Amino acid sequence: MIEKFGLFSLAERGYAVPLVRLLRVLDSPRSEFIPLIPQEMAGMVVVDDEIIPLVESALFPGVPAGKALAAEFKVLVATEYGTVALPAEGTIGVVAADRCVLGAAERFAGFLPEAINYRRKEYLVLDVDAFTMSLIRP
């Protein structure tokens, strides 16, 4: 079976999540700031009466803090720790691994050391479980 990825952008940078982990892409969902939450979280997204943590944009390489709540889209992904919402300013779609070029990428915490090159743009591949580990407090 050919692996597929969901592609999205944030602060003009491309990101990819394995399609098997992508649950839904929400267009302008209700997002709320919650006081006293860990700094790795920007707030919460309410989906079908479920409260889902929204990851802070500063956890993405090269993206400043404060963009998560204002991002037009929220990408819901399944992790071994539960569902989390990722901020996205644009959604590109789904691409199969055989339709793009997989290459080496700079190493960032929570990301695989490879990137997808699709239509002349690089998308860092998110390791959703490693990425969300920073949201878990002992």
Side-chain angles (χ1 to χ4, degrees):
M1 181 174 193
I2 297 172
E3 187 170 15
K4 296 179 182 174
F5 299 92
L7 307 178
F8 65 98
S9 63
L10 181 62
E12 299 184 25
R13 190 136 197 202
Y15 299 96
V17 293
L19 193 60
V20 297
R21 296 300 192 102
L22 196 149
L23 300 174
R24 229 167 129 175
V25 176
L26 304 172
D27 185 358
S28 303
R30 190 174 111 212
S31 304
E32 302 288 336
F33 172 76
I34 308 290
L36 304 174
I37 59 174
Q39 66 182 7
E40 296 85 5
M41 294 173 45
M44 300 290 179
V45 176
V46 179
V47 181
D48 301 328
D49 296 326
E50 183 180 355
I51 297 172
I52 298 170
L54 174 62
V55 174
E56 173 54 59
S57 57
L59 293 179
F60 290 82
V63 179
K67 289 187 142 307
L69 287 171
E72 182 176 353
F73 300 98
K74 307 301 186 278
V75 178
L76 301 185
V77 294
T79 77
E80 64 182 70
Y81 310 104
T83 301
V84 296
L86 307 174
E89 293 172 334
T91 59
I92 289 74
V94 175
V95 64
D98 66 342
R99 299 283 185 210
C100 58
V101 177
L102 293 174
E106 188 175 345
R107 185 71 176 143
F108 296 104
F111 289 85
L112 297 176
E114 63 186 13
I116 291 172
N117 289 296
Y118 180 68
R119 294 188 178 170
R120 298 186 185 143
K121 183 167 179 154
E122 181 181 76
Y123 296 86
L124 296 176
V125 180
L126 203 66
D127 178 342
V128 293
D129 292 330
F131 189 75
T132 55
M133 287 238 348
S134 64
L135 300 176
I136 307 302
R137 297 277 184 190

